[in-house]
Structures are given as structure tokens and as C-alpha cells.
Amino acid sequence: MGKVLEARGLVKAYRRTTAVDGVDLTLDAGERVALLGPNGAGKTTTLLMLLGAVLPDQGTVEVLGHPLPAERSRAMEGVGFAAGYLPLPERLRVREVLGVFANLYGIASPGPLIDRALERFGIAELGKAMATELSSGQRTLVGIVKATLHRPQLLVLDEPTASLDPDIADQVRRGVERLCVETGAALLVTSHNMTDVERVCERVVFLAAGKVVADGTPAEVARRFGKGDLEQVFLHLAGREEE
């Protein structure tokens, strides 16, 4: 399998703070990887560099074989990105919202594809709802559906289940798993929900103080730190372990 993402030696500094300090990260086709770490670890800055939204001070990024930033437009054609904080057009119905983005993706006759995408995440009944009527969890689900319409080779999700009720978070997790199985898409996700990570991802990369401190399966990483699970690893790196 080829690589869908390859980042080498990423460095990014803001004034006197080095947010990312020599990060290497690769994803193979179809691989599901979580980028983890406590607040201030460098996750968001790393993610933005991987998407070409922020330029690194040092290092290189290739997405689907295209170097950033030189070939960013080509690279992003095969990438889907979703985050709960991204807004949706509010004066449209959900199917209309998805139709607009399908047109932007260059998808002809998107109706059946939209139907399948809504069904995949268990929200077919929301197709006729106005965007203004959606709960925060429903908005998150629609945002992920939007990001998957063009069958991306790489799906990037930033805190997809943050602040969601357990039932909606489960819909997100199940829908993402179905998508990856059906399309072979690779997944890169940031999350503070270690249960979600352990269920969905086969590999985790932990950041601390801008550096990669662990890279392996959830079980391997937990053993490396002498912990029982990822939750305990997270608390250890955040300095919040119980005495």
C-alpha cells in the first residue's frame, strides 16, 4: 500500500514558543490513526500544517504524493476535513447544503450519493431539516457527511465527538468505521475521547511539548508507559495522574 500522508521534521514556532518540534508522521492507505496529546502538545498546529493551512518553519509534507504548499489544491482534492466548530450554511435544508458541496466537489447527479451518505451515519431523516434546526451533534454528523461526499482517500477529523451525547458520539464512530471499511479511506483523527480512539483506530501517535513521544497500537503505547489503557497514558502526559 502507498502512503497517503508523509510529514518529516515539522517545526513551527510562535514568538518564543516552539509549538511543534521535529514531528514525523506517516499514514498508509486505509490506515486509521489518532493524533493525541494534552492541551498545548502541538496537535492543532501539526494538523494545520498537514492540511497546508499553516506553513512549517522547517520540514516537509506530502499528501497523496503532492508536496505542500506547491501542489496543495491537487492534494486537497482527495482529502475530507470535518470539525464540530465549522459552521454550516443556515438558510438551507440539509440536502441542499450537501448538494451545494457536492457541486463544489464536481459530483454529477449527487442525489443517490447523498442518500447513501446520510444513511451511513444514521441521519436520513434529517435531509429535509433546516440547518438552523439542527442540534450541535446533528451539525457534527452533517459536517462529516459533507466531508465524505467525494469519497476522500484521507479523512481528517478534529475532535469529532467533543461535547456530544454518548448516543450521538456512537453514531459518529459507527459512521466513520463504515466509511473506512466501504471506501478504504485512511483516517487521521484528533480526540480527547480515548474510548473512541481505542475502538476506531489501529494506531496512535502521542505528542507532548511539540514532540512525538509514542507511536504504535493502543496496547503497545499503554505498555510503553506502564499503564493499563490510553486514558492513563493521557493523564500521565498531562501531569494529572492521581497521587
Side-chain angles (χ1 to χ4, degrees):
M1 293 189 298
K3 295 196 182 301
V4 297
L5 173 67
E6 186 167 11
R8 299 294 182 188
L10 294 184
V11 175
K12 187 65 182 180
Y14 297 103
R15 296 185 179 179
R16 298 182 180 179
T17 300
T18 300
V20 177
D21 189 6
V23 165
D24 294 336
L25 179 64
T26 63
L27 266 78
D28 289 329
E31 192 176 21
R32 288 181 266 177
V33 177
L35 184 64
L36 307 176
N39 291 334
K43 298 189 305 298
T44 298
T45 300
T46 298
L47 202 65
L48 292 174
M49 288 191 287
L50 297 177
L51 293 169
V54 168
L55 295 179
D57 296 330
Q58 298 177 38
T60 61
V61 179
E62 282 194 9
V63 177
L64 301 173
H66 299 288
L68 304 185
E71 298 181 16
R72 183 173 186 262
S73 294
R74 291 287 304 279
M76 293 303 110
E77 289 176 4
V79 176
F81 174 71
Y85 50 78
L86 293 178
L88 295 173
E90 294 191 342
R91 296 187 179 182
L92 296 174
R93 299 189 184 277
V94 168
R95 285 188 63 85
E96 293 172 331
V97 170
L98 297 176
V100 167
F101 282 94
N103 287 332
L104 291 174
Y105 292 141
I107 299 171
S109 303
L113 191 150
I114 290 173
D115 291 338
R116 177 69 190 106
L118 289 171
E119 290 170 2
R120 181 183 290 124
F121 284 87
I123 54 172
E125 75 283 357
L126 294 181
K128 296 181 179 180
M130 296 294 294
T132 52
E133 300 171 352
L134 301 179
S135 68
S136 61
Q138 291 169 336
R139 283 173 176 267
T140 297
L141 284 163
V142 172
I144 296 174
V145 168
K146 171 181 69 67
T148 64
L149 288 176
H150 59 308
R151 295 175 67 91
Q153 293 170 261
L154 171 62
L155 178 62
V156 181
L157 302 178
D158 189 11
E159 296 286 351
T161 60
S163 303
L164 297 186
D165 291 338
D167 58 333
I168 302 297
D170 186 62
Q171 277 183 268
V172 171
R173 182 174 63 248
R174 290 177 183 273
V176 169
E177 286 180 307
R178 290 190 197 103
L179 175 81
C180 291
V181 170
E182 291 173 12
T183 70
L187 173 68
L188 178 63
V189 59
T190 69
S191 180
H192 284 97
N193 188 323
M194 298 299 106
T195 300
D196 279 354
V197 168
E198 289 176 325
R199 290 180 181 178
V200 175
C201 296
E202 57 199 350
R203 179 175 149 227
V204 297
V205 178
F206 260 103
L207 298 183
K211 296 178 180 291
V212 174
V213 294
D215 185 343
T217 67
E220 288 170 347
V221 170
R223 284 197 299 269
R224 173 175 176 178
F225 285 91
K227 306 298 179 183
D229 55 30
L230 292 183
E231 186 79 21
Q232 294 178 30
V233 174
F234 187 97
L235 292 174
H236 169 74
L237 292 174
R240 291 166 53 191
E241 289 181 303
E242 295 183 1
E243 298 295 337

